[in-house]
Amino acid sequence: HLDRNRGDCAYRHNLSRNLNTVRRLFGIRRRAREPTPSRTETALPHCRNRRAAGERAEINMSAGRNNTMNIAVDIDDTLTNSFDYFMPFIAEYLGVELSELKRRNVSYSNLPEEWRGNEVDFCRKYYDRIVSDTTFKPDAALGMRQLHELGHRIIIITGRSEPLYTDPYKTTIEELARGDIEYDGLICTMKKAEACLSENISVMIDDLPKNCDAVRACEITPILFNSPANRDTKVPYRRVSTWAEAVDAVKEISAQLQ
């Protein structure tokens, strides 16, 4: 996807750089990207947290003011602890010892090349059955609720898609409901940068550096959620380890837009 959009992102980058120069010369402050209605809010009204919707009505009426933003949030190893949860199932499927996977720090998201041949088959056999029981990070629900209370609009953008899932939306909606996760829209796609552009996203929180790199090339601010799979990867953007840190990072980004 990044290759497909490289020209468009490069154009946006050059345009943004020129506009930033003008802003500095004339002392113009940058505004937050104005939240816009998501196609997922219309097409998938059942994916919204209805209990929170009424409580947030007044807050969301001011979207686009007070430095509120559209924020994209990943699920696996961002809201959940998927790396450790999936490891025993990976060991079972591959017929290897769990201790071997732990020694090599290997799970679903960083399988070595020699084990990737059956990845789709593993996903079809396990994901629909086990994903909804993945454990959430202890402060995930609180962090998402705090972002909503700050007036931000949250779109869950996950790489879950066919043929890895029979019905990625159904499985994901059930999981998010179980975790009491508040959000405004859900998009299941491998093309995250494209989805972020279509939803006018300002900040994306994800655990995969390749996804963060892709949105950064499109002038979207990435926040990398630490995970065992990315611990040794050097990145030029901010890392967080908890949702309390993620909320603080969003607050700092929002404050810079004043």
Side-chain angles (χ1 to χ4, degrees), residues 41-60:
E41 291 175 310
T42 301
L44 296 169
H46 56 288
C47 76
R48 305 188 68 184
N49 186 311
R50 297 181 182 277
R51 176 183 60 78
E55 297 172 357
R56 295 197 318 272
E58 185 174 348
I59 294 176
N60 288 338

Side-chain angles (χ1 to χ4, degrees), residues 6-255:
R6 190 180 301 279
D8 181 58
C9 289
Y11 169 77
R12 289 169 179 266
H13 174 74
N14 291 332
L15 178 61
S16 177
R17 182 173 57 189
N18 293 336
L19 289 174
N20 287 336
T21 300
V22 173
R23 291 188 185 103
R24 285 196 299 270
L25 288 173
F26 292 95
I28 301 173
R29 292 180 175 179
R30 184 181 177 187
R31 287 194 312 170
R33 295 169 185 253
E34 292 204 1
T36 54
S38 166
R39 70 175 187 272
T40 56
E41 291 175 310
T42 301
L44 296 169
H46 56 288
C47 76
R48 305 188 68 184
N49 186 311
R50 297 181 182 277
R51 176 183 60 78
E55 297 172 357
R56 295 197 318 272
E58 185 174 348
I59 294 176
N60 288 338
M61 287 288 287
S62 64
R65 298 175 303 211
N66 302 323
N67 302 314
T68 57
M69 301 180 291
N70 293 331
I71 300 174
V73 177
D74 175 51
I75 299 176
D76 294 300
D77 282 316
T78 300
L79 289 171
T80 63
N81 292 312
S82 304
F83 191 91
D84 292 335
Y85 175 74
F86 276 103
M87 198 177 284
F89 300 107
I90 295 285
E92 178 183 81
Y93 179 79
L94 294 175
V96 299
E97 293 294 329
L98 180 59
S99 58
E100 174 67 7
L101 295 184
K102 291 183 177 180
R103 184 185 67 81
R104 298 176 63 175
N105 190 44
V106 167
S107 188
Y108 77 102
S109 59
N110 64 341
L111 289 172
E113 195 63 38
E114 64 268 24
W115 287 343
R116 288 184 183 174
N118 297 323
E119 187 173 8
V120 173
D121 183 60
F122 167 79
C123 295
R124 291 304 297 262
K125 285 184 176 180
Y126 285 85
Y127 277 9
D128 289 332
R129 178 165 55 90
I130 68 174
V131 161
S132 61
D133 291 328
T134 309
T135 56
F136 281 88
K137 294 183 182 298
D139 58 347
L142 175 60
M144 295 286 274
R145 185 164 65 250
Q146 288 175 334
L147 291 180
H148 260 153
E149 290 171 352
L150 291 170
H152 301 301
R153 174 172 162 269
I154 302 173
I155 304 297
I156 303 288
I157 303 181
T158 173
R160 300 175 179 185
S161 57
E162 298 178 359
L164 306 183
Y165 292 78
T166 302
D167 187 341
Y169 281 96
K170 178 178 182 296
T171 300
T172 302
I173 290 167
E174 291 175 353
E175 179 185 15
L176 294 172
R178 183 180 60 78
D180 199 27
I181 301 298
E182 296 186 15
Y183 60 104
D184 300 291
L186 170 64
I187 301 176
C188 296
T189 179
M190 298 296 289
K191 301 176 180 179
K192 289 195 173 186
E194 182 178 301
C196 284
L197 288 173
S198 70
E199 295 297 326
N200 204 21
I201 296 297
S202 296
V203 175
M204 186 185 77
I205 307 173
D206 201 292
D207 70 296
L208 293 183
K210 68 177 182 180
N211 291 334
C212 291
D213 291 340
V215 300
R216 186 168 179 260
C218 295
E219 295 293 313
I220 296 167
T221 302
I223 297 174
L224 183 68
F225 217 105
N226 286 332
S227 76
N230 69 37
R231 66 187 184 188
D232 297 324
T233 304
K234 293 183 179 180
V235 297
Y237 31 82
R238 184 164 181 167
R239 285 177 173 269
V240 296
S241 296
T242 66
W243 270 95
E245 292 179 5
V247 171
D248 286 343
V250 170
K251 287 180 179 179
E252 290 179 17
I253 294 168
S254 180

